[in-house]
Amino acid sequence: MKQIFLALLAAFSTSVFAQSNDANLGIIPAPVSVKKDKGKFAITPETSFLVDSPAHKAVRLLAEYLKKNGYSNNIVNINTMGRKPETIKNGVMLLTSFKGALPADGYELNISENQVMINGRGAGLFYGVQTLIQLINSDRKGYATVPCAHISDAPRFRYRGMHLDVSRHFFDVDFIKKYLDVMAAYKLNNFHWHLTDDQGWRIEIKKYPKLTTVGSNRVQTKVGGRTGNTSDLYDNTPYGGFYTQEQVREIVAYAAERYINVVPEIEMPGHSLAAITAYPEMSCDPLKKYKVAENWGVFTDVYCPSETTFKMLSDILDEVADLFPGKYIHVGGDECPKEAWKKSSLCQDIIRDSALRGENGLQSYFMRRIERHLNAIGRSMIGWDEIIEGGLAPNATVMSWRGEEGGIAAAQLGNDVIMTPGSGGLYFDHLQSKSPQEPLAIGGNAPLSKTYAYNPVPATLTPDQQKHIIGVQANLWTEFIATPAKVEYMLLPRMLALAEVAWTPLANKDFQNFSVQRVPHHLAMLEQKGYHFRVPDVVGASDTTLKGGNFKFELSSTVEGGKAHYTIDGFTPRETDLWCTQPIQITVPAGKTIELQSIIISAGGKRSNVTKTVLDNTGK
Ligand code: TNX
């Protein structure tokens, strides 16, 4: 009996313990201000849930949470009760009508032993509920506690984006919804949906059906990386997929329900081989035979800046604008080789007649014409930083991906900027460590600490120019990511770091607190919700050689509820090995070497990389 009690205590005390020790109460992204109080609010079947705007999205979020987690409490309209919120006991209240102003998308969450009150309007109230959900500790169905505290919170940036490439590999509607759910839980508010590229066109366009009947299918796909045994290997398997307009509307609505705007990307003038395969008249060589790309990279067949192309792209963008109510449409602009334009008399004529500065000038001409059309239909253009070369379109927002230089230049010109540099740890297709145990990826190295450390506001900008940095985004390109589980592996936990970069004031950021005190609990929660993720390496040992004869290690799990298993016998540690519950003492005889190998295995069986620490007492 006593043993069972201790085991239960261990299971439930971890989160409570982590929370009470942590200045941020476990919340990710860390709020602007957390003032902890003594005591707890208890949720029981008698607790009333009261709201003053029953149709608010935040109310539906709360209702869904209660239902999913086994609470049978109803949500009641407080206006029908004739009671002042302050007088309510044992109540959780979501209020939009309160005195005073809050910062944009901000909220206040006050938890006392008597009541929980969230004040917020629009997205602010929704974010307040997301924070409350993170604070709820439940140990049995229908019952929970929330630690007493005063929290005031609001985002640092208004654009907090997460991107997904669905061209290189396609992900279905249910998965996109799951992706949006986890974005919403961490207060991200823009989903950049990369819908077209050389390897597949993935959005139905009624006026040009071949974009999907032809352009969404490739004959086969490259296997493995760019070098090594598989460098010439293809899988001989047709690949395809696209979203119907009905599905697109469904996703846009699902996102809006969670205060997420969807930014569609229709790539041009480069990365357009799938479209050109469907409609060769959009290229500079309409008689050439094209095929949807089966390999990765940058392709020289691109749109020709002809009137035919502009007419078709305008029609396409009109349908896209109809589907996506948001302000922004992303039109790519990156990696457009100029070979085809150099050979084309049509292109050379435009360059001469319009006195453009060569092919770069022609690219700007292309983007400006597209921007003019977008502005005419009431939309704003976003493009990758290449759109600066040859002259920037006047109202465009620039996504700076090749470092920050493009973003800095654009902000200095007075254009808005979203920072998303690969060099800042924001390319989630990059490796998460240098270990050979990582799965196939494009390369690079963007560990959690690097993403976390990124600051989107360059110090070289003046305060006025800094205002043009409207936000930050991480990108997930999927050349080497064919499954939903691998998308999640690359996304998590790095997206939690992105959320903190995008939301939390610089002064409140603290990687130690984030990675050791908060992330482990969130990973356990994500596992319960059915997400995959990369299990961070063990805390307490690293891949290194230590000299000496006597060692003590305290290994701890990076996923709450998981175990740090280890071996000193030279074999790879697994769930059948010892795990660390108290400091491990290791004595290495003189002249010998022992290897301590450790692994984290989560409660759900997810495994970290194996860490190898060489303990060397050879005296050499
Ligand atoms: C560059 S980032 C690209 C993508 C690739 C990515 C791979 C950008 C604007 N273009 O087409 O997928 O590198 O990391």
Side-chain angles (χ1 to χ4, degrees):
M1 181 64 208
K2 195 168 160 216
Q3 259 164 350
I4 295 174
F5 174 74
L6 283 177
L8 277 177
L9 192 72
F12 294 123
S13 63
T14 33
S15 76
V16 180
F17 182 73
Q19 230 175 29
S20 57
N21 251 344
D22 168 18
N24 290 308
L25 283 172
I27 302 162
I28 295 178
V32 172
S33 149
V34 177
K35 292 197 187 90
K36 297 201 274 185
D37 260 344
K38 288 206 180 65
K40 291 183 178 95
F41 176 84
I43 299 176
T44 68
E46 285 72 49
T47 303
S48 3
F49 286 82
L50 305 171
V51 302
D52 66 0
S53 304
H56 199 285
K57 294 172 192 176
V59 175
R60 289 199 288 277
L61 173 68
L62 178 68
E64 195 186 298
Y65 175 82
L66 293 175
K67 198 168 132 211
K68 268 200 188 145
N69 291 278
Y71 299 89
S72 49
N73 312 51
N74 290 324
I75 298 182
V76 176
N77 186 344
I78 193 171
N79 300 323
T80 61
M81 294 176 60
R83 295 266 309 271
K84 287 214 161 98
E86 304 76 51
T87 67
I88 303 281
K89 290 233 159 57
N90 193 13
V92 175
M93 282 162 282
L94 272 52
L95 303 177
T96 57
S97 55
F98 49 88
K99 285 197 201 85
L102 287 175
D105 296 344
Y107 66 89
E108 269 175 21
L109 168 55
N110 288 309
I111 304 156
S112 70
E113 286 179 344
N114 279 328
Q115 54 168 236
V116 174
M117 194 184 290
I118 309 178
N119 288 339
R121 298 184 182 100
L125 191 67
F126 183 85
Y127 296 141
V129 173
Q130 292 288 17
T131 298
L132 175 64
I133 288 173
Q134 289 193 12
L135 288 172
I136 292 176
N137 294 295
S138 184
D139 46 13
R140 70 184 155 125
K141 222 175 150 188
Y143 292 81
T145 61
V146 189
C148 292
H150 301 274
I151 296 171
S152 350
D153 205 6
R156 180 174 175 208
F157 293 104
R158 70 170 192 265
Y159 184 105
R160 303 180 298 280
M162 189 63 229
H163 153 288
L164 182 65
D165 167 11
V166 296
S167 170
R168 276 59 177 267
H169 285 101
F170 178 74
F171 301 96
D172 68 13
V173 170
D174 284 344
F175 181 70
I176 302 295
K177 290 181 176 172
K178 192 180 176 197
Y179 200 79
L180 292 165
D181 283 338
V182 74
M183 284 179 60
Y186 293 96
K187 305 185 175 93
L188 297 175
N189 68 350
N190 276 281
F191 172 50
H192 174 170
W193 203 4
H194 186 79
L195 286 162
T196 74
D197 215 301
D198 301 302
Q199 294 81 3
W201 183 284
R202 310 261 176 245
I203 176 173
E204 177 191 23
I205 300 294
K206 303 259 193 218
K207 192 153 186 189
Y208 301 108
K210 282 194 280 177
L211 286 171
T212 44
T213 56
V214 174
S216 77
N217 297 303
R218 59 179 181 252
V219 173
Q220 56 178 357
T221 304
K222 174 79 184 63
V223 171
R226 288 179 286 201
T227 54
N229 286 343
T230 58
S231 61
D232 294 324
L233 201 61
Y234 287 78
D235 69 357
N236 253 304
T237 310
Y239 189 92
F242 68 91
Y243 308 97
T244 64
Q245 293 203 349
E246 201 183 328
Q247 289 174 323
V248 169
R249 287 187 204 281
E250 184 185 334
I251 292 207
V252 168
Y254 192 89
E257 179 69 14
R258 288 154 184 78
Y259 288 97
I260 296 173
N261 171 58
V262 185
V263 179
E265 181 180 355
I266 306 295
E267 270 266 20
M268 61 190 76
H271 286 294
S272 47
L273 189 49
I276 288 172
T277 306
Y279 294 98
E281 60 267 42
M282 298 177 93
S283 75
C284 287
D285 187 355
L287 298 177
K288 191 173 159 183
K289 285 269 162 285
Y290 297 99
K291 61 176 186 169
V292 178
E294 297 161 9
N295 197 352
W296 321 121
V298 174
F299 298 84
T300 49
D301 295 311
V302 303
Y303 292 135
C304 208
S306 64
E307 292 313 309
T308 308
T309 303
F310 286 123
K311 168 77 174 69
M312 291 178 73
L313 287 176
S314 300
D315 292 342
I316 290 168
L317 292 172
D318 289 349
E319 282 194 37
V320 168
D322 231 36
L323 292 167
F324 295 89
K327 168 177 167 191
Y328 294 118
I329 295 182
H330 198 307
V331 289
D334 62 309
E335 299 180 323
C336 179
K338 305 295 188 300
E339 281 92 326
W341 292 0
K342 284 198 179 117
K343 280 193 280 184
S344 146
S345 57
L346 183 141
C347 293
Q348 295 308 315
D349 287 351
I350 303 176
I351 291 175
R352 197 192 50 242
D353 295 348
S354 307
L356 302 176
R357 273 179 289 149
E359 286 74 26
N360 274 345
L362 188 54
Q363 161 132 1
S364 288
Y365 163 90
F366 196 112
M367 300 321 283
R368 280 170 201 248
R369 286 216 29 186
I370 293 296
E371 170 164 69
R372 226 185 304 142
H373 182 72
L374 285 177
N375 289 169
I377 59 172
R379 300 310 166 91
S380 300
M381 175 170 109
I382 301 185
W384 300 108
D385 59 60
E386 282 92 334
I387 67 169
I388 301 177
E389 291 161 13
L392 182 52
N395 309 312
T397 299
V398 171
M399 263 187 193
S400 193
W401 71 280
R402 298 173 305 173
E404 293 183 322
E405 291 73 19
I408 291 172
Q412 285 166 342
L413 288 168
N415 289 62
D416 282 348
V417 173
I418 296 159
M419 284 296 188
T420 174
S423 53
L426 299 182
Y427 266 49
F428 289 179
D429 58 338
H430 288 183
L431 288 160
Q432 303 188 62
S433 82
K434 287 188 187 150
S435 163
Q437 299 167 52
E438 292 295 333
L440 171 69
I442 196 166
N445 187 28
L448 185 64
S449 55
K450 184 169 180 186
T451 307
Y452 190 86
Y454 183 63
N455 177 11
V457 181
T460 47
L461 295 177
T462 66
D464 267 349
Q465 293 165 346
Q466 289 182 356
K467 289 189 194 125
H468 285 295
I469 311 293
I470 63 168
V472 57
Q473 174 175 295
N475 299 331
L476 192 31
W477 303 100
T478 56
E479 288 95 332
F480 304 100
I481 304 175
T483 64
K486 194 165 178 186
V487 170
E488 291 169 10
Y489 178 91
M490 300 306 273
L491 184 73
L492 301 168
R494 286 186 291 197
M495 196 198 77
L496 279 52
L498 168 73
E500 197 140 316
V501 167
W503 181 281
T504 303
L506 257 192
N508 293 10
K509 281 175 69 188
D510 175 347
F511 184 65
Q512 183 68 15
N513 165 262
F514 170 78
S515 59
V516 179
Q517 290 198 273
R518 288 182 283 144
V519 167
H521 176 66
H522 285 259
L523 291 180
M525 295 291 122
L526 286 166
E527 182 160 69
Q528 275 180 22
K529 288 193 221 160
Y531 285 92
H532 214 85
F533 49 83
R534 179 182 186 273
V535 177
D537 297 353
V538 67
V539 173
S542 56
D543 286 311
T544 186
T545 297
L546 302 172
K547 304 270 180 192
N550 288 300
F551 296 91
K552 193 167 120 180
F553 291 93
E554 258 179 276
L555 307 179
S556 66
S557 177
T558 48
V559 184
E560 190 182 275
K563 295 190 178 100
H565 294 272
Y566 64 94
T567 61
I568 55 169
D569 56 14
F571 284 79
T572 302
R574 46 171 69 222
E575 54 278 27
T576 47
D577 287 302
L578 293 170
W579 67 93
C580 185
T581 50
Q582 54 187 23
I584 312 165
Q585 311 273 358
I586 302 174
T587 307
V588 186
K592 296 274 185 197
T593 294
I594 284 179
E595 201 171 55
L596 170 68
Q597 296 195 40
S598 20
I599 189 173
I600 304 301
I601 304 181
S602 73
K606 293 181 185 64
R607 311 162 90 86
S608 72
N609 288 344
V610 174
T611 298
K612 293 185 184 178
T613 316
V614 178
L615 311 175
D616 180 352
N617 199 21
T618 58
K620 283 186 211 139

